[in-house]
Amino acid sequence: MSRSAHPAGPRHADVLSEGHYSAPPADLNALDPKVWSQTVTRTADGQVTVGGIEVTRLAEEFGTPAYFLDEADFRARCQAWRDAFGPDADVFYAGKAFLSRAVVRWLHEEGLNLDVCSGGELTTALDAGMPAERIAFHGNNKTPEEIERAVAAGVGHIVLDSFQEIVRVAHIADRLGKRQRVQIRVTVGVEAHTHEFIATAHEDQKFGIALAGGEAAEAVRRALKLDGLELVGIHSHIGSQIFDTAGFEVAARRVVSLLAEIRDEHGVELPEIDLGGGLGIAYTSDDDPAEPHDIAKSLREIVTRECAAAKLRTPRISVEPGRAIVGPTAFTLYEVGTIKPLEGLRTYVSVDGGMSDNIRTALYDAEYSVALVSRSSDAEPMLVRVVGKHCESGDIVVRDAFLPADLAPGDLIAVPATGAYCRSMASNYNHALRPPVVAVKDGAGRVIVRRETEEDLLRLDVG
Ligand code: LLP
């Protein structure tokens, strides 16, 4: 393996002002536990291990690029959420972050429920043995066929997202001779401090029914009249990758005041509120996410206090974390290919994956960290942009980061915190083969989603 040096070019003001990075870290070999999963460590010989296995062994056995998911960490995070909210609340894992049959089994074993938002997620959940009553079905445009499957399967909740859907679900339930438990998703009018594409509680977007102007109250009126529906609660999801918990608190207050209005108008105290997901995670050392314990405490306090003030029985609270459970549990392992130093700018490090396995940088301007993991290095830090092998210049995995200047083709680098919304949003762009997800635990790796093959691509191409 050659070890040529690629010095960082001069970092002039333009580059610095465009960049997202701060100063190079004091120690490029250090692995910040905020962004790496629990069992990741660097051993004395400089290699990184996860679940007790060296990354070079993982690369040999499973290839690159690949996502390695720390099963012990996943289970620990499930337990932390469950313990934080306690027996009087429910934690629904948001399957959109990453879902596979193994994940469903872990959730089941750890006592979590599951939020699904498509027929495909529902099938995966049921196939892996999640009891239907522990599944909530979401989405702004569920098809009649999806609704029918969900009702027939006996899902615990359908979260109604529009006036039309109130009627659709009621008719389907009637036809199947069932009474479907439902919640109504409301938009509480909170501007969550996150990327526009993942904020969902302001009024001008496609989800839910607005509290403002009495729309949500009208939806409740209609739902309560329909025999096919058993309205049990109100749902709010304000957005994703949120650090400022004030938005959740405002949402909780507004949802409780709707419950009070409903009691006053209909004499009915709805027994549940769901405050959605959205808690942010650390992608870089600059991020400081809240702990489940703190968010649980503050939500419980607000709901209890507001309910007491409105003389309401405190409803059962549920939450739907996706990213905060699975995000930090996985890293993507890549092999370094071409290294291209651009004099006066930065060094482009190309890896064997890219926007097909992590679209988040291109789509949301997301920030990631990266480390050399197949060895340690004492070389100087060099400013890099980690890019993929796709045919466009937006194909960026890590916009700005520092790697050792002796980085060379064949080295393995890893991008942490890729457990959420990376494999689940992966594509076949340029006919890339979507990478496998390998669960690592107690010294062994187990493929839970296999690598796509060229035969898989050709199988769909039937022309
Ligand atoms: N509940 C509902 C109703 C949701 O729509 C979502 C996410 C969640 C829960 C889970 O949110 P989390 O705890 O994972 O933030 N693709 C974007 C994220 C989109 C989130 C969509 N809904 C990303 O990569 O950042």
Side-chain angles (χ1 to χ4, degrees), residues 81 92-98 115-117 138-139 159 161 185 194-195 197-200 207 235-242 248 274-281 283 319-327 358-361 363-364 366 368 420-422 424-425:
W81 277 87
F92 286 77
Y93 168 78
K96 65 204 84 186
F98 172 64
D115 138 12
V116 300
C117 67
H138 280 272
V159 182
D161 201 86
R185 175 163 173 176
T194 188
H195 192 282
F197 293 175
I198 51 177
T200 53
F207 294 107
H235 180 283
S236 155
H237 170 74
I238 61 169
S240 202
Q241 186 55 8
I242 294 168
F248 295 106
D274 187 311
L275 295 168
L279 203 66
I281 62 164
Y283 285 102
V319 286
E320 299 170 339
R323 187 193 318 266
I325 290 179
V326 72
N358 186 349
I359 190 65
R360 298 194 67 262
T361 308
L363 195 53
Y364 314 116
Y368 281 92
Y421 305 111
C422 286
S424 69
M425 294 174 78

Coordinates of all heavy atoms in Angstrom, one line a residue, residues 81 92-98 115-117 138-139 159 161 185 194-195 197-200 207 235-242 248 274-281 283 319-327 358-361 363-364 366 368 420-422 424-425, ligand 1:
W81 N -34.6 5.0 26.1 CA -35.8 5.7 25.8 C -37.0 5.1 26.6 O -37.8 5.8 27.2 CB -36.2 5.6 24.3 CG -35.4 6.7 23.6 CD1 -34.2 6.6 23.1 CD2 -35.9 8.0 23.3 NE1 -33.8 7.8 22.5 CE2 -34.9 8.7 22.6 CE3 -37.1 8.7 23.5 CZ2 -35.0 10.0 22.1 CZ3 -37.2 10.0 23.1 CH2 -36.2 10.7 22.4
F92 N -42.5 4.7 20.4 CA -42.7 4.1 19.1 C -41.4 4.4 18.3 O -41.1 5.6 18.1 CB -43.8 4.7 18.3 CG -45.2 4.3 18.8 CD1 -45.7 4.7 20.0 CD2 -45.9 3.3 18.0 CE1 -47.0 4.3 20.4 CE2 -47.1 2.9 18.5 CZ -47.7 3.4 19.6
Y93 N -40.7 3.4 17.9 CA -39.5 3.7 17.0 C -40.0 4.0 15.6 O -40.9 3.4 15.1 CB -38.6 2.4 17.0 CG -37.5 2.4 15.9 CD1 -36.4 3.2 16.1 CD2 -37.7 1.7 14.7 CE1 -35.3 3.2 15.2 CE2 -36.7 1.7 13.8 CZ -35.5 2.5 14.0 OH -34.5 2.5 13.0
A94 N -39.5 5.1 15.0 CA -39.9 5.5 13.7 C -39.1 4.7 12.6 O -37.9 5.0 12.4 CB -39.7 7.0 13.5
G95 N -39.8 3.8 12.0 CA -39.1 2.8 11.1 C -38.5 3.5 9.9 O -37.6 2.9 9.3
K96 N -39.0 4.7 9.5 CA -38.4 5.3 8.3 C -36.9 5.6 8.5 O -36.2 5.7 7.5 CB -39.2 6.6 8.0 CG -39.0 7.7 9.1 CD -40.2 8.6 9.0 CE -41.3 8.1 9.8 NZ -42.6 8.8 9.8
A97 N -36.4 5.7 9.7 CA -35.0 6.0 9.9 C -34.2 4.8 9.4 O -33.1 5.0 8.8 CB -34.7 6.3 11.4
F98 N -34.6 3.6 9.8 CA -34.0 2.4 9.2 C -34.8 1.2 9.7 O -35.0 1.1 10.9 CB -32.5 2.2 9.7 CG -32.0 0.8 9.3 CD1 -31.9 0.5 7.9 CD2 -31.7 -0.2 10.2 CE1 -31.5 -0.8 7.5 CE2 -31.3 -1.4 9.8 CZ -31.2 -1.7 8.5
D115 N -43.6 2.8 14.6 CA -44.3 3.6 13.7 C -43.9 3.3 12.3 O -42.7 3.3 11.9 CB -44.0 5.1 14.2 CG -43.8 6.1 13.1 OD1 -44.0 5.9 11.9 OD2 -43.3 7.2 13.4
V116 N -44.9 3.0 11.4 CA -44.6 2.7 10.0 C -45.3 3.8 9.2 O -46.3 4.4 9.6 CB -45.1 1.3 9.6 CG1 -44.4 0.3 10.4 CG2 -46.6 1.1 9.7
C117 N -44.9 4.0 7.9 CA -45.5 5.0 7.1 C -45.7 4.6 5.7 O -45.8 5.4 4.8 CB -44.8 6.3 7.2 SG -43.2 6.3 6.5
H138 N -48.7 5.8 9.8 CA -48.7 7.2 9.5 C -48.7 7.5 8.0 O -48.4 6.6 7.2 CB -47.3 7.8 10.0 CG -47.3 8.1 11.4 ND1 -47.6 9.3 11.9 CD2 -46.8 7.3 12.5 CE1 -47.5 9.3 13.2 NE2 -47.0 8.1 13.6
G139 N -48.7 8.8 7.6 CA -48.5 9.1 6.2 C -49.6 10.1 5.8 O -50.7 10.1 6.3
V159 N -52.9 7.1 12.2 CA -52.8 8.5 12.5 C -53.4 9.3 11.3 O -52.8 9.3 10.2 CB -51.3 9.0 12.8 CG1 -51.3 10.5 13.1 CG2 -50.8 8.1 14.0
D161 N -54.4 12.1 8.8 CA -53.6 13.3 8.4 C -54.4 14.3 7.6 O -53.9 15.4 7.3 CB -52.5 12.8 7.5 CG -51.3 13.7 7.5 OD1 -50.5 13.7 8.4 OD2 -51.3 14.5 6.5
R185 N -53.5 13.9 13.5 CA -52.3 14.6 13.5 C -52.6 16.1 13.3 O -53.2 16.5 12.3 CB -51.3 14.1 12.4 CG -50.1 15.0 12.3 CD -49.0 14.3 11.6 NE -47.9 15.1 11.3 CZ -46.7 14.7 10.8 NH1 -46.6 13.5 10.3 NH2 -45.8 15.6 10.6
T194 N -34.7 23.7 12.2 CA -34.0 22.7 11.5 C -34.1 23.0 10.0 O -34.7 24.0 9.6 CB -34.7 21.3 11.9 OG1 -33.9 20.2 11.3 CG2 -36.1 21.1 11.4
H195 N -33.6 22.1 9.2 CA -33.7 22.3 7.7 C -35.1 22.4 7.3 O -36.0 21.6 7.7 CB -32.9 21.2 7.0 CG -32.7 21.5 5.6 ND1 -33.7 21.4 4.6 CD2 -31.6 21.9 4.9 CE1 -33.2 21.7 3.4 NE2 -31.9 22.1 3.6
F197 N -36.7 21.3 4.8 CA -37.3 20.0 4.3 C -37.7 19.1 5.4 O -38.4 18.1 5.1 CB -36.3 19.3 3.4 CG -36.0 20.1 2.1 CD1 -35.1 19.6 1.2 CD2 -36.7 21.2 1.7 CE1 -34.8 20.3 0.0 CE2 -36.4 21.9 0.6 CZ -35.5 21.4 -0.3
I198 N -37.2 19.3 6.6 CA -37.5 18.3 7.7 C -38.3 19.0 8.8 O -38.3 18.4 9.9 CB -36.3 17.5 8.1 CG1 -35.1 18.3 8.5 CG2 -35.9 16.4 7.1 CD1 -33.9 17.6 9.0
A199 N -38.8 20.2 8.6 CA -39.6 20.8 9.6 C -41.1 20.6 9.2 O -41.4 20.7 8.1 CB -39.3 22.3 9.6
T200 N -41.9 20.2 10.2 CA -43.3 19.8 9.8 C -44.4 20.3 10.7 O -45.5 19.9 10.5 CB -43.3 18.2 10.0 OG1 -42.9 17.9 11.3 CG2 -42.5 17.5 8.9
F207 N -48.3 18.1 5.9 CA -48.7 17.2 6.9 C -49.8 17.8 7.8 O -49.8 19.0 8.2 CB -47.5 16.8 7.8 CG -46.5 16.0 7.0 CD1 -45.3 16.5 6.7 CD2 -46.8 14.7 6.7 CE1 -44.4 15.8 6.0 CE2 -45.8 13.9 6.0 CZ -44.6 14.5 5.6
H235 N -52.1 13.9 17.8 CA -50.7 13.6 17.4 C -50.0 14.9 16.9 O -50.6 15.6 16.1 CB -50.6 12.5 16.3 CG -49.2 12.2 15.9 ND1 -48.5 13.0 15.0 CD2 -48.4 11.1 16.2 CE1 -47.3 12.4 14.9 NE2 -47.2 11.3 15.6
S236 N -48.8 15.1 17.3 CA -48.0 16.2 16.7 C -46.6 15.8 16.5 O -46.0 15.1 17.3 CB -48.0 17.4 17.7 OG -46.9 18.2 17.6
H237 N -46.0 16.1 15.3 CA -44.6 15.9 15.0 C -44.1 17.2 14.5 O -44.5 17.6 13.4 CB -44.5 14.7 14.1 CG -43.1 14.5 13.6 ND1 -42.1 14.0 14.3 CD2 -42.5 14.8 12.4 CE1 -40.9 14.0 13.6 NE2 -41.2 14.5 12.4
I238 N -43.1 17.8 15.1 CA -42.7 19.2 14.7 C -41.6 19.2 13.7 O -41.3 20.3 13.2 CB -42.5 20.1 15.9 CG1 -41.3 19.6 16.8 CG2 -43.7 20.3 16.8 CD1 -40.8 20.6 17.8
G239 N -40.9 18.1 13.5 CA -39.8 18.1 12.6 C -38.7 17.2 13.1 O -38.9 16.4 14.0
S240 N -37.5 17.3 12.5 CA -36.5 16.3 12.7 C -35.1 17.0 12.9 O -34.9 18.1 12.4 CB -36.5 15.4 11.5 OG -35.9 14.1 11.8
Q241 N -34.2 16.3 13.6 CA -32.9 16.8 13.9 C -33.0 18.2 14.6 O -32.4 19.2 14.2 CB -32.0 16.9 12.6 CG -30.6 17.3 12.8 CD -29.8 16.4 13.8 OE1 -30.3 15.4 14.2 NE2 -28.6 16.8 14.1
I242 N -33.8 18.1 15.7 CA -34.0 19.4 16.5 C -33.2 19.3 17.8 O -33.2 18.3 18.5 CB -35.5 19.5 16.8 CG1 -36.3 19.6 15.5 CG2 -35.8 20.6 17.8 CD1 -37.8 19.5 15.6
F248 N -40.8 21.3 21.3 CA -41.7 20.2 21.8 C -42.6 20.7 22.9 O -43.7 20.2 23.1 CB -40.8 19.1 22.3 CG -39.9 18.4 21.2 CD1 -38.5 18.7 21.2 CD2 -40.5 17.6 20.3 CE1 -37.8 18.1 20.2 CE2 -39.7 16.9 19.3 CZ -38.3 17.2 19.3
D274 N -49.6 12.0 21.3 CA -48.3 11.6 20.8 C -47.5 12.8 20.3 O -48.1 13.6 19.6 CB -48.6 10.6 19.6 CG -47.3 10.0 19.1 OD1 -46.3 10.8 18.9 OD2 -47.3 8.8 18.9
L275 N -46.3 13.0 20.8 CA -45.6 14.2 20.5 C -44.5 14.0 19.5 O -43.6 14.8 19.3 CB -45.0 14.8 21.8 CG -46.1 15.2 22.8 CD1 -45.6 15.5 24.2 CD2 -46.8 16.5 22.2
G276 N -44.6 12.8 18.8 CA -43.7 12.6 17.6 C -42.3 12.4 17.9 O -41.9 12.1 19.0
G277 N -41.5 12.4 16.9 CA -40.0 12.2 17.0 C -39.3 13.5 16.8 O -39.9 14.6 17.0
G278 N -38.1 13.4 16.4 CA -37.4 14.6 16.0 C -36.2 15.0 16.8 O -35.5 16.0 16.4
L279 N -35.9 14.3 17.9 CA -34.7 14.8 18.7 C -33.4 14.6 17.9 O -33.2 13.5 17.3 CB -34.7 13.9 20.0 CG -33.9 14.6 21.1 CD1 -34.7 15.8 21.5 CD2 -33.8 13.6 22.3
G280 N -32.6 15.6 17.9 CA -31.4 15.6 17.1 C -30.3 14.7 17.7 O -30.3 14.4 18.9
I281 N -29.3 14.4 16.9 CA -28.2 13.6 17.4 C -26.9 14.4 17.0 O -26.9 15.3 16.2 CB -28.1 12.2 16.8 CG1 -28.0 12.2 15.2 CG2 -29.3 11.4 17.2 CD1 -27.5 10.9 14.6
Y283 N -23.8 14.7 14.9 CA -23.1 14.3 13.7 C -21.6 14.7 13.8 O -20.7 14.1 13.2 CB -23.7 14.9 12.5 CG -25.0 14.2 12.1 CD1 -26.2 14.8 12.4 CD2 -25.0 12.9 11.5 CE1 -27.4 14.2 12.1 CE2 -26.2 12.3 11.2 CZ -27.4 12.9 11.5 OH -28.6 12.3 11.2
V319 N -44.1 8.9 22.2 CA -43.1 9.6 21.4 C -42.6 8.7 20.3 O -42.8 7.5 20.4 CB -41.9 10.1 22.2 CG1 -42.3 11.3 23.1 CG2 -41.3 9.0 23.0
E320 N -42.0 9.3 19.3 CA -41.6 8.4 18.1 C -40.2 8.7 17.6 O -40.0 9.2 16.5 CB -42.6 8.7 16.9 CG -44.0 8.4 17.2 CD -45.0 8.9 16.2 OE1 -44.6 9.9 15.4 OE2 -46.1 8.4 16.1
P321 N -39.2 8.5 18.4 CA -37.8 8.7 18.0 C -37.4 7.7 17.0 O -37.6 6.5 17.1 CB -37.0 8.5 19.3 CG -37.8 7.6 20.1 CD -39.2 7.8 19.8
G322 N -36.7 8.2 15.9 CA -36.1 7.3 14.9 C -34.6 7.5 14.9 O -33.9 6.7 15.4
R323 N -34.2 8.7 14.5 CA -32.8 9.1 14.4 C -32.1 8.9 15.7 O -31.0 8.4 15.8 CB -32.7 10.5 13.9 CG -31.3 11.0 13.7 CD -31.2 12.5 13.5 NE -32.3 13.1 12.8 CZ -32.3 13.4 11.5 NH1 -31.2 13.2 10.8 NH2 -33.3 13.9 10.9
A324 N -32.8 9.3 16.8 CA -32.1 9.3 18.1 C -31.8 7.9 18.6 O -30.9 7.7 19.4 CB -32.9 10.1 19.1
I325 N -32.5 6.9 18.1 CA -32.2 5.6 18.5 C -31.2 5.0 17.5 O -30.1 4.5 17.9 CB -33.5 4.7 18.5 CG1 -34.3 5.2 19.7 CG2 -33.1 3.2 18.7 CD1 -35.6 4.4 19.9
V326 N -31.5 5.0 16.2 CA -30.6 4.2 15.3 C -29.4 5.1 14.7 O -28.4 4.5 14.4 CB -31.4 3.6 14.2 CG1 -31.9 4.6 13.2 CG2 -30.6 2.5 13.5
G327 N -29.6 6.4 14.7 CA -28.6 7.2 14.1 C -27.2 7.0 14.6 O -26.2 6.7 13.8
N358 N -25.5 7.8 1.1 CA -25.7 8.9 2.0 C -26.1 10.2 1.2 O -25.2 10.9 0.8 CB -24.5 9.2 2.9 CG -24.8 10.2 4.0 OD1 -25.9 10.9 3.9 ND2 -24.0 10.3 4.9
I359 N -27.4 10.4 1.1 CA -27.9 11.5 0.3 C -28.0 12.8 1.2 O -28.3 13.9 0.7 CB -29.2 11.2 -0.4 CG1 -29.7 12.2 -1.4 CG2 -30.3 11.0 0.6 CD1 -28.9 12.3 -2.6
R360 N -27.8 12.6 2.5 CA -28.2 13.7 3.4 C -27.3 14.9 3.2 O -27.8 16.0 3.4 CB -28.1 13.2 4.8 CG -29.1 12.0 5.1 CD -29.3 11.8 6.6 NE -30.0 12.9 7.3 CZ -29.4 13.8 7.9 NH1 -28.0 13.7 8.1 NH2 -30.0 14.8 8.5
T361 N -26.1 14.7 2.8 CA -25.2 15.9 2.7 C -25.7 16.7 1.5 O -25.8 18.0 1.6 CB -23.8 15.5 2.5 OG1 -23.4 14.6 3.6 CG2 -22.8 16.6 2.5
L363 N -28.7 16.6 0.1 CA -30.1 17.1 0.3 C -30.3 18.1 1.3 O -31.1 19.0 1.2 CB -30.9 15.8 0.6 CG -32.4 15.9 0.4 CD1 -32.9 16.4 -1.0 CD2 -33.1 14.5 0.7
Y364 N -29.7 18.0 2.5 CA -29.9 18.9 3.6 C -28.7 19.7 4.0 O -28.7 20.3 5.1 CB -30.4 18.1 4.8 CG -31.4 17.0 4.6 CD1 -31.1 15.7 4.8 CD2 -32.7 17.4 4.2 CE1 -32.1 14.7 4.7 CE2 -33.7 16.4 4.0 CZ -33.4 15.1 4.2 OH -34.3 14.1 4.1
A366 N -26.2 18.4 5.2 CA -25.9 17.8 6.5 C -24.4 17.8 6.7 O -23.6 17.6 5.8 CB -26.5 16.4 6.6
Y368 N -21.1 15.9 8.6 CA -20.7 14.6 9.1 C -19.2 14.7 9.5 O -18.5 15.6 9.1 CB -20.8 13.5 8.0 CG -22.2 13.0 7.9 CD1 -23.1 13.5 6.9 CD2 -22.7 12.0 8.7 CE1 -24.4 13.1 6.8 CE2 -24.0 11.5 8.6 CZ -24.8 12.1 7.6 OH -26.1 11.7 7.6
A420 N -29.2 6.4 10.7 CA -30.6 6.9 10.3 C -30.6 7.6 9.0 O -29.7 8.4 8.7 CB -31.1 7.9 11.4
Y421 N -31.6 7.3 8.2 CA -31.8 8.0 6.9 C -30.7 7.9 5.9 O -30.5 8.8 5.1 CB -32.2 9.4 7.2 CG -33.4 9.6 8.1 CD1 -33.3 10.1 9.4 CD2 -34.7 9.1 7.7 CE1 -34.4 10.2 10.3 CE2 -35.8 9.2 8.5 CZ -35.6 9.7 9.8 OH -36.7 9.8 10.7
C422 N -29.8 6.9 6.0 CA -28.8 6.7 5.0 C -29.2 5.4 4.2 O -29.5 5.5 3.1 CB -27.4 6.6 5.7 SG -26.8 8.2 6.2
S424 N -31.9 3.8 4.6 CA -33.3 3.9 4.2 C -33.5 4.9 3.1 O -34.6 4.8 2.4 CB -34.1 4.3 5.5 OG -33.9 5.6 5.9
M425 N -32.6 5.8 2.8 CA -32.8 6.7 1.7 C -31.8 6.4 0.5 O -31.6 7.2 -0.4 CB -32.6 8.1 2.1 CG -33.7 8.6 3.1 SD -33.4 10.2 3.8 CE -33.9 11.3 2.4
Ligands
LLP1 N1 -42.8 10.6 13.6 C1 -43.2 11.1 12.5 C2 -44.6 11.3 12.2 C3 -42.3 11.5 11.5 O1 -42.7 12.0 10.3 C4 -40.9 11.3 11.7 C5 -39.9 11.6 10.8 C6 -40.5 10.7 13.0 C7 -41.5 10.4 13.9 C8 -39.1 10.4 13.3 O2 -38.3 11.5 13.4 P1 -36.8 11.4 13.9 O3 -36.9 11.1 15.4 O4 -36.1 10.3 13.2 O5 -36.2 12.7 13.7 N2 -34.9 12.2 5.9 C9 -34.7 13.2 6.9 C10 -35.6 13.0 8.1 C11 -37.1 13.0 7.7 C12 -37.9 12.7 8.9 C13 -39.3 12.4 8.5 N3 -40.2 12.1 9.6 C14 -33.2 13.3 7.3 O6 -32.5 12.5 6.8 O7 -32.8 14.1 8.1

